[in-house]
Amino acid sequence: MHRNGPTRDIDESELSVTEPKKQAAGVTAVAVALGRAVEEMGVVRTARTLARVNQVHGFDCPGCAWPEPTGHRRPAEFCENGAKAVAEEATLRTVTPEFFAAHSIEELADKSGYWLGQQGRLTHPMVLRPGDTHYSPIEWTDAYRLVAEHLRALATPDEALFYTSGRTANETAFLYQLLVRSYGTNNLPDCSNMCHESSGTALTSSIGIGKGSVSIDDFDAADLIIVAGQNPGTNHPRMLSALAGAKAKGATIIAVNPLPETGLLGFRDPQTVKGFTSGVSIADDFLQIRLGGDMALFQGLGRLLFEAEDAAPGTVVDHEFVDTHCAGFAEYEKNTRAVDLGTVREATGLTDDELGRTARLLAESKNIIICWAMGLTQQAHGVATIEEATNLLLLRGMIGKPGAGVCPVRGHSNVQGDRTMGIWEKMPDAFLDALDREFDITSPREHGFDTVNAIRAMRAGKAKVFVGMGGNFVSATPDTEVTEAALRGCALTVQVSTKLNRSHVVHGQTALILPTLGRTDEDLRDGVKQQVSVEDSMSMVHLSTGRLKPVSDELRSEVTIVCELAQTLLGADHPVPWAQYQRNYDKIRDAIARVVPGCADYNTRVRQRNGFVLPHPPRDSREFRTTTGKANFAVNELTWTPVPHGRLILQTLRSHDQYNTTIYGLDDRYRGVHGGRKVILVNAEDIAESGFTDGELVDLISEWTDGTERKVTGFRIIGYPTPRGNAAAYYPETNPLVPLDHVAARSNTPVSKAVTIRLERHRHVGPPS
Ligand SMILES: Nc1nc2c(c(=O)[nH]1)N[C@H]1C(S)=C(S)[C@@H](COP(=O)(O)OP(=O)(O)OC[C@H]3O[C@@H](n4cnc5c(=O)[nH]c(N)nc54)[C@H](O)[C@@H]3O)O[C@H]1N2
Ligand SMILES: Nc1nc2c(c(=O)[nH]1)N[C@H]1C(S)=C(S)[C@@H](COP(=O)(O)OP(=O)(O)OC[C@H]3O[C@@H](n4cnc5c(=O)[nH]c(N)nc54)[C@H](O)[C@@H]3O)O[C@H]1N2
Ligand SMILES: [Mo]
């Protein structure tokens, strides 16, 4: 039943461009999803698998973190991109020891991430020893021993790094951080450092908890929903159904984005009969903002709200909420009233009319939700931007009541749960105290390295062992050349993975690939089916059960890998009952219940029909556990992203046919880019002004404040309706352009959405093709 992956790699000369689509989803989406699924796993496995996505007794879709509806679940509670995520994992294509024997590392290092991923599921633990040209098979026990030897040889545990990507389930995450802290370090960088860290930082400071305050039902009660810096049509397609539902109940929806993203502007719900034939326009208004202009927008809107309050006192500012629950209002008011609207227009590119009508809606709406994703977080002033959005909601009393609140829309399906379970380089002492009490260990208290600092540490030779629990560190991180050199400097790199990726071919002196079960795979221990649990973007925790027969008997669950490594590394007399946990995941959940706040009675509650919702003090009782004990109005100096003369500001984003560094295919259907990925979308007037022609090949050179430059070559320039001076290109191809030190203030998140670049005509070098 096994299949081989495609042999052909991407040929960028086959790239073609069509008009961007006006509507998302609909019949095409269903057809594309089924086509991909059948291609990867055949008809029977497709039918068996897709019917189980996001169902009560099924598995959690590994696509995104958007919640499932709590009431009636439709038979197909998935979307085109969820189906692609499932097909990618449930594929019958395999990467076997024979594959590794046939392909040297040198050869694999020349392949695209797309080609690597398309080869299929990893089937055996593999090792690459110093001097080897090919990976070769290794026994699991030998692999653990090798890792333990390297870890024991370090001068201090702080020379090791333990990365996590957000697919890891709660049970694994809890045990993994327990292993890492038992070993003796807090070096737990994760994908969240590159993702919603800015949201967590801002919200913790403003409302005392780094999570969103709305639940899925709040969408039905909202009358204004702002979606800023997010492309749900591609990255959270099921959110479109929630938005369409809110709209049907009378909500107004405003999209704030530099790009006219198809899903936001038009949507055909593939899950309703009507949606097959006719679509709705999701956004009632589209504010085409300049990259990095959102902080100016929110401050400008704040000023207009104060003016509206002056015109009709007592109708705009929720004085009762502000007086009872907030701190810092007077200073916020003073600062905000002084905001210069001319600067706001320049920073945002928006007109007085656009600002005025948005302010009016904010002043008049009874229930307001603000949603956001990477367009806000991956900015140098991302934390302050999110604080300013939160300020508006506080001013209007919009936290802790139905139909209103902050909604950071998470990325990876369990990235929020991983944090709840302790995957964080600076977990609060209270959590560590509880961990130590439960297990009779002594967790280190000194904070560890986040993702950017982990790269710096490897570069400086201060970190020598890298362990990745999922993810694709090399391709996901900024400044590719720097990061690759940093990893190559390690003594050992270990990747616990489902699929082949670039992090396996850019490696330390010794490298290990440990193949693991995915969300869809059946996980049997002593003949008993094990389940794992996850938390969605709205703090709902529920079970996930894989049912597919794994593609190889050699695969081990992430829990097993952590427990077996722990026993080898920490010895048989270690106080944590690793052997028990590995056999019965209920035992892990019992420990979680005793250690993790809000998880009491975990085993029982997680088995309820829709699981359970974790406590959120601002949402539940308008309680704000901040430094002041109140919700804090933040005061920030207005920061934005001007375009230097003759330069462009580049954002690096996702196509419709990828999951982060996993490239499903070469079809960014909604934006009209097909057959290739090396494109840069530029305003047609900027193309004309700079003397290029549409379709020409260019090199992109990024410029950093220290005078250094970085370059990627051979990108096709395409005229696209993005604001003047603002360009867009796909991640991860453009990661080499993002300087490692270009990080957001306070969250240390790489600024992937604002890189200053110039374009140069591409000169073909090398042999003619
Ligand atoms: N199919 C699929 N689903 C996914 C993913 C995937 O790769 N594929 N990734 C998952 C992950 S980990 C995450 S974090 C999420 C990511 O979800 P998104 O944040 O939607 O992902 P991006 O493609 O980075 O899109 C950023 C959006 O912000 C806009 N934007 C960029 N800069 C600015 C700005 O300065 N201001 C404003 N207002 N808008 C701006 C861009 O035009 C774009 O629409 O999706 C998750 N879901
Ligand atoms: N320039 C730029 N860079 C970015 C971003 C951007 O917008 N622009 N976005 C950032 C964001 S938001 C994020 S979240 C990061 C993503 O960073 P990562 O989470 O590190 O990257 P992914 O591409 O999601 O990881 C894919 C790999 O995970 C492995 N995998 C998949 N499922 C499983 C599983 O169940 N278990 C295990 N053990 N492994 C599994 C597979 O081997 C696969 O190759 O990238 C960040 N980097
Ligand atoms: Mo993310």
Side-chain angles (χ1 to χ4, degrees), residues 89 163 165-167 191 194-195 374 378 412 469-473 476 496-501 516-519 558 652 654 659-662 731 735 738 752-753:
E89 180 175 296
Y163 177 70
S165 164
R167 270 203 195 173
C191 67
M194 300 179 266
C195 185
M374 297 304 103
Q378 296 174 338
H412 265 299
M469 179 54 72
N472 181 3
F473 191 85
V496 180
S497 311
T498 52
K499 307 270 308 247
L500 190 63
N501 65 44
T516 189
L517 298 176
R519 214 45 89 60
E558 291 180 336
T652 62
R654 293 154 174 79
Y659 194 90
N660 299 335
T661 71
T662 297
Y731 132 76
N735 288 42
V738 187
S752 307
K753 296 291 188 273

Side-chain angles (χ1 to χ4, degrees), residues 586-602:
D586 277 348
K587 299 275 183 221
I588 311 170
R589 287 185 279 269
D590 285 340
I592 290 173
R594 289 188 294 268
V595 173
V596 182
C599 290
D601 222 1
Y602 197 81

Side-chain angles (χ1 to χ4, degrees), residues 629-671:
K630 300 203 165 201
N632 291 319
F633 278 97
V635 173
N636 295 297
E637 198 186 324
L638 179 50
T639 316
W640 50 292
T641 312
V643 185
H645 181 71
R647 302 294 184 266
L648 295 169
I649 304 297
L650 174 75
Q651 63 153 321
T652 62
L653 43 47
R654 293 154 174 79
S655 86
H656 189 63
D657 221 359
Q658 72 184 82
Y659 194 90
N660 299 335
T661 71
T662 297
I663 312 302
Y664 299 140
L666 306 176
D667 197 13
D668 195 8
R669 204 167 71 239
Y670 297 159
R671 298 197 187 102

Side-chain angles (χ1 to χ4, degrees), residues 63-65 81-82 191 195-196 227-232 234-237 256-259 261 264 287 289-294 372-376 378-379 409-412 651-656 658-662 664 671 731 753:
C64 72
N81 279 349
C191 67
C195 185
H196 268 290
V227 182
Q230 201 198 336
N231 178 21
T234 286
N235 298 313
H236 305 91
V256 184
N257 203 305
L259 303 180
E261 301 285 28
L264 279 170
L287 303 181
I289 197 164
R290 291 193 173 132
L291 284 172
D294 304 81
W372 70 88
M374 297 304 103
L376 300 201
Q378 296 174 338
Q379 296 287 353
V409 182
R410 302 279 158 180
H412 265 299
Q651 63 153 321
T652 62
L653 43 47
R654 293 154 174 79
S655 86
H656 189 63
Q658 72 184 82
Y659 194 90
N660 299 335
T661 71
T662 297
Y664 299 140
R671 298 197 187 102
Y731 132 76
K753 296 291 188 273

Side-chain angles (χ1 to χ4, degrees), residues 50 124 166 219 317 339 502 552:
L50 294 187
H124 284 73
F219 278 72
V317 177
V339 168
R502 188 151 174 89
S552 150

